[in-house]
C-alpha cells in the first residue's frame, strides 16, 4: 500500500498521543510527527510507538520533536499536509471549557503562528478547548483560508449520543444514527429529527423524556468523564474523532461529518465558526451540507451561533 504525506500532532498529552497512535495505526501516512514543549516526551512516545509497529503491523513512521514556545524545534514539522492542534490545558472537575479560554488562547495562538510559518499549505484540525473559540483563533492566527481550519467537536458529541442511544435501546452502535450541531458546549444542538435506530425515527423507539435525558447526558458528556478521571479530560473518543477527520482530508474522501467550520449563509447564519455538517476533502472543507431541520432545531442552531459569535470576537483580544 502506498503511504503518503506528513501529518503533525501538536501536543503530546493524552489527546495528542492517542491521536498520533490512531493515525499511525491507520497505516496510510508516511510520517506522523508528534511535538510538545516538554523536553523528550514526544521523542519518547514516538520511539515507543515505532517499536509497536512490528506487532501492530503498520509501517508509518513516527517522529518526536520538542519545540519551544519561541518556535524553535519546529523544523521536523515542516511542510506537513495536515496539522492537528491538541496543545493546551484540559479541564479539571467543576470547570467549564470556557474556563480554559485565556490560557489556551495564548498557547493556540503561538502554535498556530508556528504552524503557518512551517506548514503554509496545511489543513489544520483544532481540538483544544474551548473548541469553537480556539478554532476561530487558529484561523485568525494562521491567516489561512477558513476552509482549511476546522474544529473537532460534532463527531465526538454525535458519537457520544449514538453510544448512549445504543446502550439504552440495547442495539449495536452500528444500528444507530444520531447528530449534534451547534457549539461544543452549553449550546450544543442535538438533532432528534436526524436520529434513527435501524432506520426508524428515534421518537418511535424511545419516549420524549428518555430522549431528553440522553440529550442532556450528551451535552454534559465531557464533564461526566472529567468528573470521573479527576486529573484530565476525555481522549479516547475525542482522538478517534480527530483522527477520522484527518483521514478524510488525507484521502480526499468527501465524507460528510459534523465539524466546526466557518458558516457563510448556511441556515441563514454567517460569519461564525459553528458545528454543522460538511464534506471533507484534501483542501479541508469542500462545502457545508445543509439539511432540513425542524423549526425548533433551527432556532437552537441560530441561538448557538449567537452565543459563540460574541466569544469568538473576544478571542481576538486575548
Ligand atoms: N506547544 C506544544 N505543546 C504544548 C504547548 C505548546 N505551546 N503548550 C502545552 N502543550 C502540551 C502540554 O505540554 C501537554 O503535554 O499540550 C499537552 C496537553 O496534554 P494534556 O494535559 O494531557 O491534555 P489533553 O487531555 O491532551 O487535552 C488537550 O484537548 O480536549 C482538549 O480540553 C482539552 O484543551 C485540551 C486539549
Amino acid at each position: 500500500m502506498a503511504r503518503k504525506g506528513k501529518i503533525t500532532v501538536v501536543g503530546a498529552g493524552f489527546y495528542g498521543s492517542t491521536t498520533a497512535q490512531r493515525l499511525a495505526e491507520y497505516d496510510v501516512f508516511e510520517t506522523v510527527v508528534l511535538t510538545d514543549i516538554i523536553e523528550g516526551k514526544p521523542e519518547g512516545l514516538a520511539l515507543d510507538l515505532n517499536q509497536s509497529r512490528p506487532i501492530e503491523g503498520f509501517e508509518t513512521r513516527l517522529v518526536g520533536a520538542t519545540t519551544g514556545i519561541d518556535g524553535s524545534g519546529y523544523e521536523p514539522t515542516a511542510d506537513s499536509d495536515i496539522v492537528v492542534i491538541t496543545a493546551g490545558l484540559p479541564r479539571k472537575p467543576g470547570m467549564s471549557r470556557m474556563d480554559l479560554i485565556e490560557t489556551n488562547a495564548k498557547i493556540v495562538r503561538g502554535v498556530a503562528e508556528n504552524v503557518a510559518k512551517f506548514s503554509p499549505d496545511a489543513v489544520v484540525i483544532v481540538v483544544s478547548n474551548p473548541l469553537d473559540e480556539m478554532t476561530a483563533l487558529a484561523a485568525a492566527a494562521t491567516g489561512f483560508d477558513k476552509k482549511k481550519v476546522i474544529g473537532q467537536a460534532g463527531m465526538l458529541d454525535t458519537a457520544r449520543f449514538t453510544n448512549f442511544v445504543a446502550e439504552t435501546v440495547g442495539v449495536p452502535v452500528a444500528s444507530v444514527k444520531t447528530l449534534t450541531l451547534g457549539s461544543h458546549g452549553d449550546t450544543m444542538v442535538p438533532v432528534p429529527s436526524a436520529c434513527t435506530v435501524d432506520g426508524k425515527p428515534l421518537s418511535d423507539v424511545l419516549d420524549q423524556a428518555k430522549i431528553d435525558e440522553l440529550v442532556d447526558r450528551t451535552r454534559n458528556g465531557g464533564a461526566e468523564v472529567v468528573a470521573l478521571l479527576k486529573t484530565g479530560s476525555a481522549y479516547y473518543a475525542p482522538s478517534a474523532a480527530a483522527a477520522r477527520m484527518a483521514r478524510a482530508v488525507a484521502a480526499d474522501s468527501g465524507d460528510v461529518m459534523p465539524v466546526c467550520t466557518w458558516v457563510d449563509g448556511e441556515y441563514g447564519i454567517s460569519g461564525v465558526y459553528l458545528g454543522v455538517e460538511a464534506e471533507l476533502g484534501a483542501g479541508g472543507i469542500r462545502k457545508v451540507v445543509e439539511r432540513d431541520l425542524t423549526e425548533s432545531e433551527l432556532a437552537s442552531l441560530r441561538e448557538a451561533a449567537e452565543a459563540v459569535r460574541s466569544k469568538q470576537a473576544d478571542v481576538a483580544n486575548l
Side-chain angles (χ1 to χ4, degrees):
M1 185 177 58
R3 286 165 206 85
K4 63 181 175 96
K6 183 200 270 193
I7 179 161
T8 290
V9 180
V10 179
F14 287 109
Y15 200 149
S17 56
T18 43
T19 302
Q21 178 186 352
R22 292 187 191 286
L23 291 168
E25 289 180 355
Y26 285 156
D27 206 16
V28 298
F29 296 98
E30 196 173 327
T31 312
V32 176
V33 183
L34 181 61
T35 78
D36 204 286
I37 51 171
I38 300 175
E39 200 180 344
K41 186 172 186 187
E43 291 86 344
L45 290 170
L47 182 62
D48 192 9
L49 281 163
N50 278 329
Q51 291 167 359
S52 75
R53 297 189 305 153
I55 306 167
E56 284 299 322
F58 65 92
E59 295 290 341
T60 295
R61 281 211 9 100
L62 290 116
V63 175
T66 301
T67 57
I69 40 182
D70 57 357
S72 58
Y74 265 81
E75 289 76 11
T77 72
D79 299 320
S80 292
D81 303 291
I82 304 171
V83 177
V84 184
I85 301 180
T86 79
L89 299 191
R91 286 192 274 175
K92 294 201 171 72
M95 280 175 98
S96 80
R97 294 187 178 95
M98 207 48 85
D99 292 334
L100 301 168
I101 195 164
E102 289 201 15
T103 314
N104 283 356
K106 287 191 181 66
I107 293 173
V108 169
R109 182 191 301 282
V111 167
E113 286 169 0
N114 287 313
V115 167
K117 189 166 151 201
F118 285 88
S119 298
D121 298 320
V123 169
V124 178
I125 298 172
V126 180
V127 311
S128 311
N129 276 311
L131 190 275
D132 307 273
E133 289 73 15
M134 292 306 109
T135 308
L137 175 62
T142 53
F144 287 2
D145 183 328
K146 293 193 172 65
K147 289 189 176 350
K148 297 179 69 183
V149 182
I150 320 167
Q152 186 298 115
M155 282 280 281
L156 168 62
D157 295 330
T158 298
R160 284 178 170 152
F161 196 8
T162 296
N163 179 59
F164 293 146
V165 170
E167 283 183 345
T168 305
V169 181
V171 293
V173 287
S175 301
V176 180
K177 284 199 171 48
T178 68
L179 180 64
T180 67
L181 303 175
S183 78
H184 189 45
D186 294 340
T187 48
M188 181 188 301
V189 182
V191 186
S193 71
C195 301
T196 57
V197 176
D198 285 323
K200 289 193 230 79
L202 186 57
S203 52
D204 286 5
V205 182
L206 292 174
D207 62 33
Q208 195 54 45
K210 196 70 197 170
I211 295 174
D212 290 347
E213 188 189 313
L214 299 185
V215 160
D216 211 47
R217 194 169 174 202
T218 301
R219 192 173 280 125
N220 297 308
E224 187 180 352
V225 176
V226 171
L228 289 165
L229 294 181
K230 294 176 191 72
T231 52
S233 53
Y235 52 95
Y236 284 117
S239 62
R244 203 38 80 105
M245 286 169 61
R247 186 176 181 164
V249 171
D252 193 21
S253 73
D255 287 349
V256 175
M257 300 176 173
V259 298
C260 176
T261 186
W262 186 250
V263 177
D264 193 15
E266 294 85 2
Y267 297 109
I269 302 166
S270 288
V272 66
Y273 264 95
L274 188 67
V276 290
E277 289 168 285
E279 209 177 283
L280 267 62
I285 300 293
R286 283 192 195 163
K287 63 169 187 196
V288 171
V289 178
E290 274 184 274
R291 69 162 63 228
D292 287 336
L293 298 178
T294 66
E295 239 171 72
S296 80
E297 289 164 352
L298 184 59
S300 299
L301 188 60
R302 291 187 175 147
E303 214 175 284
E306 293 323 306
V308 290
R309 187 191 301 282
S310 57
K311 285 283 174 197
Q312 287 179 19
D314 290 351
V315 140
N317 306 313
L318 289 177

